[in-house]
């Protein structure tokens, strides 16, 4: 899938197209606006790049929608307004970014439908003596709750976990130069464990759970070649399903069946990073996905499997910028000016499902990392405005999912609540005035939203006070 970029209002030809013959990839960040915005001199686009489009403030005449299909994942949620206080970040910002790389997040991984989540957490104690154990969160019931899954020995802090749709949790452990994979599940006396097998490789990374909810893949990346392993959901334990030339990173699903996977790849001889599509139904066949400019690093950060909305990070405009396009569209990639934060880094983490054939109407949630911590951004391609909100206290930064109705659910844990979900309703975008070119509330789309309130929080309640309705869970 090739792409050209557009900066401001219009641009070259060629945009996101369906996967075709092949080339290379890997990931990188960018700068963006924060609580203060100030103009920054912008280097010119990469040599050989088509014109790049940025939604830069110019006489505003209204949003510029893009055709395409609609979103998908998540379930109805109880609505609730507002924001909260901040926490920690997640993605590695680009070398050219003026913002220092944010520290690694206290991570949590959600299933594609947002029903379950899993994380590695630690019992209270001195920093060097804390006992780490997996924890599964159930998020689709009347109230969220967590189930600890400790075993006889504590886990290493570099272990990784991923939830499955049936409530079990996959764990990856490193033992010397091997990777061990097991499934954990709650049992009556404690935690059950099903050993899946081992892979002889010193370093592997779990990819986001497959949209089908049954499979989990892991990536073993090398400088000259990378291999993709099915580590849960296969018939015989971990098995290698694809080899890709070059160094790969990232990992974004492009369909609901869990067949098409996008990776960011740098080819064996070096060169720019390009997103490629790997077809797991055709023995790992690789085809190009993003080709904005010959020498630009073009990474895919997020994709909505129904609408085809793609969130992209590229330095084709001269430095790393967030952009958007549509899978299979001939329209160019756009780089909205409102997503360019001078003193912060914005990273998308969730797209509103259910906007079939309307990718430009999908609400996108972003984690914004700056000197003051992390907070939440909400943006739509048609809106030309980034709404900014304080994050819930203890937010597991960069984690969350949307309901079809436009309610963002943000998991958090703090001293008062060990398992909670804050709910933030996506704000409406005000149409620009045809006379002034500004929104009716005076916002030009580059300043933070005035509402820095807190999202409504959903806390667990004591069992004796819990509502006696909703689905009964076996655990």
């Amino acid at each position: 899938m090739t792409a050209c970029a557009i900066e401001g209002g219009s641009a070259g030809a060629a945009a996101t197209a369906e996967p075709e013959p092949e080339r290379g990839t890997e990931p990188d960040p960018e700068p963006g606006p924060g609580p203060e915005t100030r103009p920054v001199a912008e280097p010119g686009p990469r040599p050989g790049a088509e014109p790049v489009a940025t939604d830069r403030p110019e006489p505003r005449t209204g949003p510029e929608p893009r055709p395409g299909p609609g979103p998908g994942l998540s379930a109805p949620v109880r609505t609730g307004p507002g924001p909260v206080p901040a926490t920690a970040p997640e993605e590695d910002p680009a070398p050219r970014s003026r913002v220092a790389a944010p520290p690694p997040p206290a991570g949590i991984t959600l299933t594609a439908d947002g029903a379950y989540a899993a994380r590695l957490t630690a019992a209270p104690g001195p920093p060097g003596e804390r006992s780490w154990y997996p924890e599964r969160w159930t998020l689709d019931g009347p109230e969220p709750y967590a189930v600890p899954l400790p075993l006889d020995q504590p886990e290493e802090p570099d272990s990784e976990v991923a939830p499955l749709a049936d409530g079990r949790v996959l764990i990856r452990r490193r033992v010397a130069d091997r990777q061990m994979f097991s499934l954990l599940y709650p049992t009556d006396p404690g935690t059950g464990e099903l050993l899946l097998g081992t892979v002889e490789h010193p370093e592997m990374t779990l990819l986001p759970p497959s949209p089908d909810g049954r499979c989990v893949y892991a990536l073993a990346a090398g400088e000259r070649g990378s291999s993709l392993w099915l580590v849960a959901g296969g018939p015989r334990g971990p098995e290698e399903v694809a080899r890709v030339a070059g160094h790969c990173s990232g990992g974004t699903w492009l369909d609901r069946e869990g067949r098409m996977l996008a990776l960011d790849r740098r080819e064996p001889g070096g060169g720019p990073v390009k997103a490629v599509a790997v077809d797991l139904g055709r023995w790992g066949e690789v085809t190009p996905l993003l080709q904005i400019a010959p020498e630009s690093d073009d990474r895919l950060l997020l994709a909505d499997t129904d609408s085809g909305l793609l969130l992209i990070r590229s330095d084709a405009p001269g430095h790393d910028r967030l952009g958007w396009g549509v899978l299979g569209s001939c329209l160019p990639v756009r780089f909205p000016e409102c997503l360019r934060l001078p003193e912060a880094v914005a990273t998308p983490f969730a797209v509103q499902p259910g906007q079939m054939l309307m990718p430009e109407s999908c609400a996108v949630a972003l984690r914004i990392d700056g000197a003051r911590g992390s907070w939440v951004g909400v943006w739509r391609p048609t809106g030309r405005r980034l709404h900014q909100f304080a994050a819930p206290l203890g937010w597991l930064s960069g984690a969350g999912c949307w309901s079809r109705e436009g309610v963002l659910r943000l998991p958090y844990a703090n001293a008062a609540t060990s398992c909670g979900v804050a709910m933030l309703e996506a704000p409406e975008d005000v149409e620009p005035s045809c006379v002034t070119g500004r929104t009716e509330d005076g916002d030009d789309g580059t300043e933070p939203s005035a509402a820095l309130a807190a999202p409504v929080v959903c806390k667990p309640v004591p069992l004796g006070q819990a509502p006696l309705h909703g689905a009964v869970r076996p655990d």
Side-chain angles (χ1 to χ4, degrees):
M1 156 170 180
T2 55
C4 91
I6 55 179
E7 186 160 2
S10 60
T16 45
E18 299 288 4
E20 32 165 308
E22 100 160 50
R23 269 202 160 216
T25 57
E26 175 180 295
D28 203 37
E30 103 178 286
E36 289 183 318
T37 42
R38 64 185 114 155
V40 178
E42 208 175 282
R46 289 269 188 172
E50 307 247 9
V52 183
T54 336
D55 293 340
R56 153 168 309 187
E58 43 179 274
R60 292 272 173 93
T61 53
E64 298 174 318
R66 299 265 176 290
L73 0 140
S74 140
V77 205
R78 306 179 327 165
T79 57
V84 194
T87 39
E90 152 193 71
E91 186 191 22
D92 184 33
R96 284 168 283 269
S97 171
R98 296 190 289 127
V99 180
I108 192 167
T109 302
L110 280 69
T111 54
D113 61 1
Y116 287 109
R119 68 169 182 155
L120 203 65
T121 188
E129 303 173 17
R130 302 178 76 190
S131 296
W132 294 86
Y133 62 91
E135 186 176 69
R136 190 201 71 194
W137 289 27
T138 300
L139 304 175
D140 62 345
E143 300 289 347
Y145 65 92
V147 176
L149 297 171
L151 292 169
D152 295 337
Q153 286 187 311
E155 305 293 344
E156 294 296 325
D158 63 349
S159 300
E160 290 183 293
V161 291
L164 300 181
D166 60 7
R168 293 183 295 175
V169 171
L170 174 79
I171 183 167
R172 177 200 63 78
R173 303 180 179 101
R174 182 170 60 184
V175 180
D177 286 340
R178 294 176 299 147
Q179 308 295 321
M180 297 181 61
F181 298 91
S182 295
L183 286 175
L184 306 179
Y185 51 93
T187 59
D188 195 4
T191 301
E193 179 176 19
L194 174 63
L195 181 63
L196 297 176
T198 62
V199 176
E200 298 284 342
H201 201 284
E203 296 291 340
M204 295 184 82
T205 303
L206 293 184
L207 296 179
S210 170
D212 65 10
R214 297 183 302 103
C215 299
V216 180
Y217 293 81
L219 179 66
E223 287 306 312
R224 303 196 61 80
S226 303
S227 57
L228 195 62
W229 291 73
L230 174 62
V231 296
R236 313 175 276 281
E239 58 179 316
E240 189 178 33
V241 293
R243 290 192 180 187
V244 181
H247 181 274
C248 294
S249 58
T252 302
W253 293 102
L254 300 174
D255 65 347
R256 280 192 165 278
E257 290 69 45
R259 171 175 169 170
M260 299 298 297
L261 176 69
L263 293 173
D264 299 324
R265 183 183 72 167
R266 191 185 302 277
E267 292 192 343
V273 174
K274 300 289 183 183
V276 296
V278 180
D279 188 344
L280 301 178
R282 293 179 64 87
W283 306 283
E285 179 179 271
V286 177
T287 54
L289 188 62
L290 293 175
Q291 299 278 355
I292 298 178
E295 297 303 318
S296 62
D297 290 333
D298 307 324
R299 297 176 167 91
L300 181 62
L301 303 183
L302 203 59
D304 180 60
T305 54
D306 285 350
S307 68
L309 177 65
L310 304 180
L311 280 303
I312 295 156
R313 195 185 296 281
S314 174
D315 59 4
H319 57 87
D320 284 315
R321 296 283 297 272
L322 275 182
W324 69 280
V326 180
L327 184 67
S329 170
C330 291
L331 295 169
V333 173
R334 302 190 65 85
F335 293 89
E337 185 68 17
C338 66
L339 297 183
R340 181 168 174 255
L341 308 173
E343 303 298 336
V345 174
T347 306
F349 64 87
V351 179
Q352 179 188 359
Q355 310 302 294
M356 198 65 68
L357 302 176
M358 297 187 299
E360 70 283 351
S361 299
C362 297
V364 177
L366 303 101
R367 191 194 75 238
I368 305 174
D369 299 308
R372 300 185 307 172
S374 300
W375 60 98
V376 181
V378 176
W379 164 83
R380 291 182 183 86
T382 53
R384 290 192 172 189
R385 179 183 177 189
L386 177 64
H387 304 270
Q388 300 183 49
F389 303 92
L393 181 64
W395 178 40
L396 299 166
S397 303
C401 63
W402 287 98
S403 74
R404 292 176 180 270
E405 295 76 23
V407 177
L408 179 62
R409 295 166 60 89
L410 302 169
Y412 70 93
N414 54 43
T417 304
S418 60
C419 172
V421 174
M423 292 181 286
L424 172 63
E425 195 165 358
E428 293 298 323
D429 289 304
V430 181
E431 290 293 326
S433 164
C434 60
V435 177
T436 65
R438 296 171 67 87
T439 54
E440 291 179 14
D441 60 1
D443 191 353
D444 66 0
T446 61
E447 295 296 328
S449 167
L452 277 169
V456 167
V457 295
C458 183
K459 300 179 181 178
V461 296
L463 188 57
Q465 303 170 26
L468 299 177
H469 59 79
V472 178
R473 310 195 73 86
D475 52 334

